[in-house]
Amino acid sequence: VLKQILTESGKFRSGICEAPNGSSLLTLSPFDLVIVDTALATGSDTEKAVAAFVAAGKGLVVTHTALYSSQVPSYSPLGAAGGSEQPVGFLDVKLARSSHPILRGMPGGFRTPDSLPQGVFARREADVIATLELSGRAVPVLAVSPYGKGRVVAVALGHDASAMHEPQLRAIMARASEWAASGAVTVPPAREPALPSDRPLKGLLITGGHDHDAAFYSLFSGYSEIERLPVDTAASAYKNDLRGRYDVIIMYDFTRDLDETGKKNLVDFLQSGKGVVVLHHALLNFQSWNWWSEEVVGGRYRLRKEGASSASTVKDNQQIYANPARSHAVLARINPFHITDEAYKNLFMSPRIRPLLVTDNPTSDTNLAWIGPSDRYRVVAIQLGHGRSAFEHPAYRTLVRNAVMWAAGRTD
Ligand SMILES: [Zn+2]
């Protein structure tokens, strides 16, 4: 978490040393900052090296974890009595010295779920800049002190990952690190969530009618570009005019038929320039709506024999070697990849589709992913995607993300 905070600040490149014993000043010399997040034995070579490092003008941050040790270095502005852990509770932190560079521009305080080591105290040379009230006593939780030519910060907060998730504490960790390393603070007071430069994308995810692993939804985690992605069923979603409400509809449902209202709303949505991504068993959708399979998707899993064409077949746990078939935004950063997934074969397939991914697996149709047959509609169909082996595959995740972005009109 500490490394993530440093990286997100954009100010640091960092490494982690999990076995610091035996470190020398030479080991530390390439760095501007050391964060001590463990016990350093008093008088050990490492403790002496850290002291010499800071004294020479570098920075040091001593964390909550380091304060649990009975051997907090003498140059830390905070120490602790040691002993058992306190239960986590809601603590009201007071940022007392708002003029200090680490706290400048931050609110006067914040409430956070955390726990402190027993008996935290400030050393004589320490400048305490944040405190909290515990049993009627002001306990120091953030303090700074000079050491030689260097700067030391001790942060008593940060007991677990939830505490370290609090935006105010993350800002303090990043700003304290920058201050210790350089004497100045440029990291903004509260981390603003990264917003995309253009309007956030609104998607609608359709599921239902076919069981699937819950891990499917993990495909859409971590998309900063998507502002809203509600989940609905075909039975209720298509009752409404969807133009203006969504940029893209992602189908992972199995819906045999659609009423006239539903058909009209889907037609209007596509004709207004919005996109559709059809995933895996959604290729079974709307079996008797020919316009849908012939003009929009360009493919359909045949549930039964149709004239001279036999029904489509399905086979799980196939070793599929997928190859990109053209250069396209949906294939950005996709190289040939191997995936264990369910294969569909003998689908109805329009001769006008534009293949994206192909395979020579004999239990599968050649086309694994394609662009729909009509230039008028932004439609991507992806045959892959039965279960976890697909949802967790980095190439499949990238493929679905690229498809959503392209269908929504965000890439060319
Ligand atoms: Zn399946």
Side-chain angles (χ1 to χ4, degrees):
V1 176
L2 286 167
K3 184 175 169 66
Q4 187 191 37
I5 290 170
L6 291 186
T7 304
E8 281 176 1
S9 77
K11 307 290 176 190
F12 291 92
R13 279 196 309 143
S14 61
I16 298 175
C17 174
E18 294 188 335
N21 288 344
S23 299
S24 69
L25 189 53
L26 193 62
T27 322
L28 304 178
S29 63
F31 299 94
D32 303 306
L33 173 75
V34 167
I35 299 180
V36 173
D37 192 42
T38 184
L40 291 184
T42 309
S44 65
D45 289 347
T46 306
E47 196 228 21
K48 287 180 194 160
V50 171
F53 172 83
V54 183
K58 301 292 186 76
L60 172 66
V61 172
V62 178
T63 69
H64 172 95
T65 308
L67 290 176
Y68 266 109
S69 149
S70 56
Q71 298 182 312
V72 185
S74 60
Y75 40 87
S76 167
L78 296 179
S84 63
E85 298 189 9
Q86 302 287 299
V88 170
F90 292 105
L91 306 178
D92 288 308
V93 178
K94 191 174 157 201
L95 304 182
R97 279 276 309 286
S98 60
S99 60
H100 192 277
I102 295 175
L103 301 183
R104 204 174 290 151
M106 294 192 63
F110 61 96
R111 170 167 284 197
T112 187
D114 212 328
S115 136
L116 293 182
Q118 300 255 16
V120 178
F121 62 88
R123 294 226 163 83
R124 196 181 317 143
E125 64 283 9
D127 187 0
V128 174
I129 63 174
T131 59
L132 61 83
E133 287 266 316
L134 224 53
S135 322
R137 190 172 78 89
V139 180
V141 294
L142 180 63
V144 300
S145 62
Y147 185 79
K149 293 182 193 160
R151 286 162 298 272
V152 187
V153 186
V155 187
L157 296 165
H159 176 73
D160 60 14
S162 293
M164 298 296 287
H165 186 66
E166 283 297 315
Q168 300 297 346
L169 182 56
R170 294 177 85 88
I172 286 174
M173 292 304 309
R175 291 162 64 93
S177 299
E178 190 184 14
W179 181 79
S182 72
V185 176
T186 60
V187 174
R191 262 184 344 106
E192 297 291 337
L195 284 175
S197 51
D198 48 2
R199 194 176 61 81
L201 188 155
K202 292 181 172 64
L204 175 64
L205 183 54
I206 308 289
T207 59
H210 194 299
D211 68 340
H212 62 81
D213 195 290
F216 168 73
Y217 295 106
S218 76
L219 279 175
F220 305 98
S221 67
Y223 278 44
S224 60
E225 300 90 343
I226 296 187
E227 183 191 46
R228 251 168 67 73
L229 187 60
V231 183
D232 204 346
T233 62
S236 74
Y238 303 138
K239 281 182 178 150
N240 305 302
D241 186 349
L242 301 164
R243 294 171 294 186
R245 296 176 62 193
Y246 301 106
D247 303 302
V248 59
I249 295 174
I250 303 158
M251 297 182 178
Y252 193 61
D253 60 325
F254 170 35
T255 305
R256 278 170 196 271
D257 289 305
L258 207 54
D259 62 18
E260 291 309 311
T261 307
K263 284 181 180 170
K264 178 182 186 309
N265 284 324
L266 259 183
V267 172
D268 288 348
F269 184 77
L270 279 161
Q271 291 188 338
S272 74
K274 305 302 182 68
V276 170
V277 176
V278 178
L279 298 176
H280 191 60
H281 50 244
L283 284 165
L284 279 67
N285 278 353
F286 318 143
Q287 288 280 318
S288 59
W289 190 14
N290 289 340
W291 180 80
W292 182 257
S293 45
E294 288 166 15
E295 295 301 318
V296 178
V297 183
R300 182 170 46 80
Y301 188 101
R302 286 189 268 241
L303 281 173
R304 55 186 65 82
K305 182 176 182 316
E306 292 174 8
S309 308
S310 52
S312 304
T313 57
V314 55
K315 206 159 175 36
D316 199 6
N317 283 317
Q318 294 301 299
Q319 301 307 312
I320 295 173
Y321 293 82
N323 276 296
R326 63 186 343 104
S327 174
H328 195 279
V330 175
L331 295 169
R333 301 179 309 284
I334 304 276
N335 291 312
F337 65 94
H338 166 218
I339 191 168
T340 304
D341 202 357
E342 198 172 65
Y344 290 169
K345 192 177 172 72
N346 197 32
L347 268 60
F348 158 76
M349 196 74 72
S350 162
R352 290 179 292 130
I353 60 152
R354 286 152 286 177
L356 291 172
L357 269 185
V358 293
T359 185
D360 58 5
N361 184 303
T363 62
S364 169
D365 277 343
T366 301
N367 294 314
L368 296 170
W370 59 91
I371 301 290
S374 172
D375 284 331
R376 295 182 59 197
Y377 313 126
R378 295 185 85 90
V379 177
V380 186
I382 299 173
Q383 185 214 284
L384 299 169
H386 177 75
R388 272 169 192 258
S389 57
F391 310 146
E392 293 169 358
H393 196 296
Y396 187 76
R397 298 181 69 86
T398 303
L399 181 70
V400 171
R401 183 192 180 103
N402 287 347
V404 169
M405 298 308 287
W406 182 81
R410 297 306 167 98
T411 54
D412 291 326

